[in-house]
Short mmCIF file of all heavy atoms in Angstrom, two decimals:
data_model
loop_
_atom_site.label_atom_id
_atom_site.label_comp_id
_atom_site.label_asym_id
_atom_site.label_seq_id
_atom_site.Cartn_x
_atom_site.Cartn_y
_atom_site.Cartn_z
N PRO A 1399 69.49 62.34 3.42
CA PRO A 1399 68.10 62.04 3.04
C PRO A 1399 68.00 60.61 2.50
O PRO A 1399 68.99 59.89 2.42
CB PRO A 1399 67.83 63.06 1.93
CG PRO A 1399 69.17 63.30 1.32
CD PRO A 1399 70.16 63.17 2.44
N ASP A 1405 70.22 64.45 -3.05
CA ASP A 1405 70.60 65.87 -3.04
C ASP A 1405 69.60 66.74 -2.29
O ASP A 1405 69.73 67.97 -2.28
CB ASP A 1405 70.75 66.39 -4.48
CG ASP A 1405 71.85 65.66 -5.22
OD1 ASP A 1405 72.87 65.30 -4.58
OD2 ASP A 1405 71.70 65.43 -6.43
N LEU A 1406 68.62 66.14 -1.64
CA LEU A 1406 67.59 66.88 -0.92
C LEU A 1406 68.21 67.60 0.28
O LEU A 1406 68.90 66.99 1.09
CB LEU A 1406 66.50 65.91 -0.45
CG LEU A 1406 65.26 66.52 0.18
CD1 LEU A 1406 64.48 67.32 -0.87
CD2 LEU A 1406 64.38 65.42 0.75
N LEU A 1407 67.97 68.90 0.38
CA LEU A 1407 68.53 69.71 1.47
C LEU A 1407 67.61 69.77 2.68
O LEU A 1407 68.06 69.88 3.82
CB LEU A 1407 68.82 71.12 0.98
CG LEU A 1407 69.76 71.23 -0.21
CD1 LEU A 1407 69.94 72.69 -0.61
CD2 LEU A 1407 71.10 70.58 0.09
N GLY A 1408 66.30 69.73 2.44
CA GLY A 1408 65.34 69.81 3.53
C GLY A 1408 64.03 69.18 3.12
O GLY A 1408 63.75 69.01 1.93
N LEU A 1409 63.22 68.84 4.11
CA LEU A 1409 61.95 68.18 3.84
C LEU A 1409 60.93 68.60 4.88
O LEU A 1409 61.22 68.60 6.08
CB LEU A 1409 62.13 66.66 3.88
CG LEU A 1409 60.89 65.82 3.62
CD1 LEU A 1409 60.38 66.02 2.20
CD2 LEU A 1409 61.20 64.35 3.89
N TYR A 1410 59.74 68.98 4.40
CA TYR A 1410 58.61 69.27 5.28
C TYR A 1410 57.62 68.13 5.15
O TYR A 1410 57.22 67.77 4.04
CB TYR A 1410 57.94 70.59 4.89
CG TYR A 1410 56.63 70.82 5.61
CD1 TYR A 1410 56.62 71.19 6.95
CD2 TYR A 1410 55.42 70.62 4.96
CE1 TYR A 1410 55.43 71.37 7.62
CE2 TYR A 1410 54.22 70.80 5.63
CZ TYR A 1410 54.22 71.18 6.96
OH TYR A 1410 53.04 71.36 7.62
N ILE A 1430 60.02 69.04 10.13
CA ILE A 1430 60.95 69.67 9.19
C ILE A 1430 62.30 69.03 9.44
O ILE A 1430 62.80 69.01 10.57
CB ILE A 1430 61.03 71.20 9.40
CG1 ILE A 1430 59.71 71.85 8.99
CG2 ILE A 1430 62.21 71.79 8.63
CD1 ILE A 1430 59.62 73.33 9.31
N THR A 1431 62.90 68.50 8.38
CA THR A 1431 64.22 67.89 8.49
C THR A 1431 65.18 68.63 7.58
O THR A 1431 64.88 68.87 6.41
CB THR A 1431 64.16 66.40 8.08
OG1 THR A 1431 63.14 65.74 8.85
CG2 THR A 1431 65.50 65.72 8.34
N ILE A 1432 66.32 69.00 8.13
CA ILE A 1432 67.39 69.65 7.37
C ILE A 1432 68.53 68.64 7.27
O ILE A 1432 68.95 68.07 8.28
CB ILE A 1432 67.86 70.95 8.07
CG1 ILE A 1432 66.68 71.87 8.42
CG2 ILE A 1432 68.92 71.66 7.23
CD1 ILE A 1432 65.88 72.35 7.24
N TYR A 1433 69.02 68.43 6.04
CA TYR A 1433 70.03 67.39 5.81
C TYR A 1433 71.43 67.98 5.68
O TYR A 1433 71.68 68.84 4.85
CB TYR A 1433 69.67 66.60 4.54
CG TYR A 1433 68.36 65.87 4.70
CD1 TYR A 1433 67.21 66.32 4.07
CD2 TYR A 1433 68.28 64.74 5.50
CE1 TYR A 1433 66.00 65.65 4.22
CE2 TYR A 1433 67.08 64.07 5.67
CZ TYR A 1433 65.95 64.53 5.03
OH TYR A 1433 64.76 63.87 5.20
N PRO A 1436 74.06 66.64 2.05
CA PRO A 1436 73.92 67.33 0.77
C PRO A 1436 74.30 68.81 0.85
O PRO A 1436 74.86 69.36 -0.10
CB PRO A 1436 72.44 67.16 0.43
CG PRO A 1436 71.97 66.04 1.26
CD PRO A 1436 72.82 66.01 2.48
N THR A 1437 74.01 69.43 1.98
CA THR A 1437 74.35 70.85 2.15
C THR A 1437 75.86 71.03 2.11
O THR A 1437 76.38 71.91 1.41
CB THR A 1437 73.77 71.40 3.46
OG1 THR A 1437 72.35 71.19 3.47
CG2 THR A 1437 74.06 72.89 3.60
N THR A 1454 67.30 77.08 3.31
CA THR A 1454 66.59 75.81 3.45
C THR A 1454 65.61 75.85 4.61
O THR A 1454 64.47 75.40 4.48
CB THR A 1454 67.59 74.64 3.61
OG1 THR A 1454 68.48 74.63 2.49
CG2 THR A 1454 66.88 73.31 3.70
N HIS A 1457 62.70 77.95 3.60
CA HIS A 1457 61.94 77.21 2.59
C HIS A 1457 60.99 76.21 3.25
O HIS A 1457 59.80 76.15 2.93
CB HIS A 1457 62.92 76.51 1.65
CG HIS A 1457 62.29 75.75 0.56
ND1 HIS A 1457 62.33 76.17 -0.75
CD2 HIS A 1457 61.62 74.57 0.54
CE1 HIS A 1457 61.70 75.29 -1.52
NE2 HIS A 1457 61.27 74.30 -0.75
N GLU A 1458 61.52 75.42 4.18
CA GLU A 1458 60.70 74.38 4.82
C GLU A 1458 59.65 74.99 5.75
O GLU A 1458 58.52 74.49 5.82
CB GLU A 1458 61.58 73.37 5.54
CG GLU A 1458 62.59 72.66 4.65
CD GLU A 1458 62.02 72.07 3.37
OE1 GLU A 1458 60.84 71.65 3.34
OE2 GLU A 1458 62.76 72.01 2.37
N HIS A 1461 56.70 76.04 3.77
CA HIS A 1461 55.77 74.95 3.49
C HIS A 1461 54.80 74.75 4.65
O HIS A 1461 53.62 74.46 4.43
CB HIS A 1461 56.52 73.65 3.20
CG HIS A 1461 57.19 73.61 1.87
ND1 HIS A 1461 56.60 74.07 0.71
CD2 HIS A 1461 58.41 73.14 1.50
CE1 HIS A 1461 57.43 73.89 -0.30
NE2 HIS A 1461 58.54 73.34 0.16
#
Side-chain angles (χ1 to χ4, degrees):
D1405 298 325
L1406 187 66
L1407 303 179
L1409 179 65
Y1410 170 75
I1430 291 173
T1431 306
I1432 309 299
Y1433 297 105
T1437 304
T1454 303
H1457 181 108
E1458 301 310 329
H1461 287 318

